[in-house]
Amino acid sequence: MKLQAISRNRLYFFDNLKAFIILLMVIFHIGMGYTTWDLKWWTVNDIQKSNFFDYFILETDVYIMPIMFLAAGYFAPMVLVKKGLGAFWQDKLRRIVIPWVGGVLFIAPLIAYSTFFSRMPVPPNFFDFWRNGFWGPFYQQGHFWFLGILTLFFLLLTAFHLAKPSYLSTPRQKRMPPVWFFPFFALLTAACFFSANLFFWNDTWLHVKYIFMIQPVRLLLHLCYFSLGVYAWKQSWFTPGGYSPRLIPWSASAVIMLIVFLLYRVTFTLMPEVPLPFKIGHALTHATFAMTATFGLIAVFQNFFDSSAYLWRRLAANSYIIYFIHQCVVIPIGCLVQKLDINIWLKYTGVSIVTLLLCFLLAEYIIQPVLSLGKSKKSLPLHS
């Protein structure tokens, strides 16, 4: 009863949505190996190919990270106000910064090396690759780039809080967004996307002094979603009596924009040189689909998956660990089945199920118990 009293106001649907997005991210990364694009930088390219995975990657890539950044922005000020700056950064150092640095130094080189290991009969010596290749043309941060950008956004939030402490410290109010708010946000994020797309190809990755790994065309868009999360927290969105996205309008809009985005993306933006008018259309369709998919999924989970059922609790509790380790499972399994000439749907489905199960079991029964050594009891999963 005490536990129910303490947690009855918890937004379980956000825990569950984040867990779902991370599981989706795992099968997204598995699907990268089955595209027809022959991605030379990807870890393991399977001999089986299908256009379905081209479309799956194109559309999923639009909204996964906006949802993650919005959720991070929503819960960060809550922790900052409750614990103060010192405890806030102590928590972020432990949960975000140290895992980010450790992942980049010790796991990302193995991820980069797998592109050679999975393609060459005799791959180069790993330590030679680490010295001469990884810290040169093959540098990457794997999926840990997200933690680096999250750290950057937390620094910006801290600077904002120090410059204007009253914004986060004054009591929150329940306010509905005005009718112009979401069209304005779509245009703002489209403008961010378009302005960067004038100088960079829309899927370009680059590193900033080996510290941050960024997609220049999406960096400001992601900052907008993080900031939107902070604003949504301040306005008490998604809480009883606060704003909640309506299921039918948002989900229907998301489906429509999914079709529009894919048709536009495949028709007008896969050419070597994209004319300026088509870049404008790409920015508008990308930004609008990202927004409608984000709020459509929030509406779906708030209406149907606002649950503290056991499986959801365990998935939420282990989602961060699954995110962290999943490439260590995806890559070896991908190498094992890479050259098996079997039905592609059987292969992909089997690999996805085995990978998700292994990630969950490793997180639940090995990593979580190790991390919990010395603790008297397990706590509820923390929001990042």
Side-chain angles (χ1 to χ4, degrees):
M1 293 296 293
K2 287 184 178 179
L3 180 61
Q4 287 181 338
I6 291 171
S7 62
R8 64 175 179 264
N9 292 323
R10 186 179 181 84
L11 302 180
Y12 288 108
F13 78 89
F14 248 130
D15 287 328
N16 301 338
L17 176 57
K18 288 195 295 179
F20 167 78
I21 289 295
I22 286 174
L23 297 183
L24 180 62
M25 185 184 300
V26 175
I27 65 171
F28 169 88
H29 283 151
I30 295 171
M32 291 281 286
Y34 294 85
T35 65
T36 64
W37 301 324
D38 189 28
L39 301 173
K40 300 189 183 306
W41 52 269
W42 187 243
T43 55
V44 183
N45 286 333
D46 200 272
I47 63 169
Q48 307 285 82
K49 307 290 183 182
S50 172
N51 290 116
F52 168 83
F53 294 100
D54 300 349
Y55 300 128
F56 173 64
I57 297 304
L58 285 174
E59 62 92 10
T60 308
D61 188 46
V62 172
Y63 57 83
I64 281 184
M65 300 321 301
I67 291 175
M68 294 297 290
F69 281 115
L70 185 146
Y74 190 90
F75 292 104
M78 181 189 305
V79 179
L80 181 58
V81 170
K82 182 178 179 180
K83 295 185 175 182
L85 272 177
F88 174 83
W89 274 105
Q90 184 179 16
D91 177 67
K92 298 311 174 190
L93 283 170
R94 178 178 62 86
R95 290 176 53 81
I96 305 296
V97 179
I98 293 175
W100 166 42
V101 175
V104 170
L105 292 179
F106 299 110
I107 301 179
L110 294 171
I111 295 174
Y113 181 70
S114 68
T115 61
F116 297 93
F117 183 84
S118 67
R119 289 164 172 78
M120 302 172 65
V122 182
N125 178 274
F126 173 74
F127 295 101
D128 289 339
F129 166 78
W130 187 84
R131 287 193 303 269
N132 304 314
F134 180 73
W135 297 105
F138 302 107
Y139 178 78
Q140 60 159 283
Q141 295 191 4
H143 54 292
F144 304 111
W145 70 269
F146 170 64
L147 300 181
I149 299 303
L150 206 54
T151 300
L152 175 62
F153 289 174
F154 288 146
L155 287 169
L156 293 175
L157 177 64
T158 299
F160 174 78
H161 181 56
L162 291 173
K164 194 174 180 181
S166 61
Y167 183 82
L168 300 184
S169 302
T170 53
R172 299 162 65 196
Q173 296 183 357
K174 295 181 179 180
R175 293 178 178 171
M176 297 293 169
V179 293
W180 53 263
F181 183 87
F182 290 110
F184 170 80
F185 184 78
L187 288 173
L188 173 65
T189 51
C192 292
F193 188 101
F194 171 73
S195 59
N197 197 202
L198 291 174
F199 305 98
F200 299 95
W201 181 53
N202 49 268
D203 293 319
T204 294
W205 285 91
L206 56 85
H207 67 81
V208 181
K209 302 295 185 180
Y210 294 96
I211 300 173
F212 298 110
M213 200 79 192
I214 66 170
Q215 283 180 289
V217 175
R218 304 192 193 192
L219 181 63
L220 288 178
L221 182 146
H222 291 159
L223 179 59
C224 287
Y225 274 90
F226 181 85
S227 303
L228 179 63
V230 176
Y231 178 81
W233 172 82
K234 181 64 177 177
Q235 306 299 318
S236 297
W237 288 10
F238 317 127
T239 62
Y243 171 73
S244 292
R246 294 168 58 195
L247 178 63
I248 299 301
W250 279 108
S251 57
S253 298
V255 171
I256 293 170
M257 285 309 306
L258 164 64
I259 297 169
V260 171
F261 170 78
L262 284 178
L263 288 174
Y264 193 94
R265 183 86 162 88
V266 172
T267 305
F268 297 113
T269 69
L270 297 182
M271 59 189 75
E273 292 293 333
V274 180
L276 185 65
F278 293 161
K279 287 187 177 183
I280 295 173
H282 185 195
L284 288 171
T285 54
H286 183 107
T288 307
F289 176 45
M291 184 183 70
T292 55
T294 296
F295 282 89
L297 280 169
I298 289 174
V300 168
F301 272 76
Q302 194 168 26
N303 279 272
F304 299 112
F305 302 106
D306 192 16
S307 167
S308 60
Y310 177 79
L311 181 58
W312 278 120
R313 291 205 315 272
R314 299 321 306 156
L315 285 173
N318 289 291
S319 61
Y320 184 49
I321 297 175
I322 292 172
Y323 155 79
F324 196 86
I325 69 169
H326 77 275
Q327 287 284 34
C328 300
V329 179
V330 169
I331 293 171
I333 293 178
C335 289
L336 284 174
V337 305
Q338 181 183 22
K339 293 180 171 59
L340 288 180
D341 190 10
I342 60 176
N343 181 274
I344 187 172
W345 305 111
L346 179 63
K347 182 190 283 192
Y348 175 74
T349 303
V351 169
S352 296
I353 292 173
V354 171
T355 300
L356 292 174
L357 281 174
L358 276 177
C359 287
F360 177 78
L361 293 174
L362 286 169
E364 175 77 354
Y365 295 108
I366 296 178
I367 299 175
Q368 282 278 20
V370 170
L371 295 177
S372 298
L373 289 176
K375 295 181 180 179
S376 59
K377 59 182 179 179
K378 290 183 179 179
S379 60
L380 290 170
L382 292 175
H383 291 293
S384 294

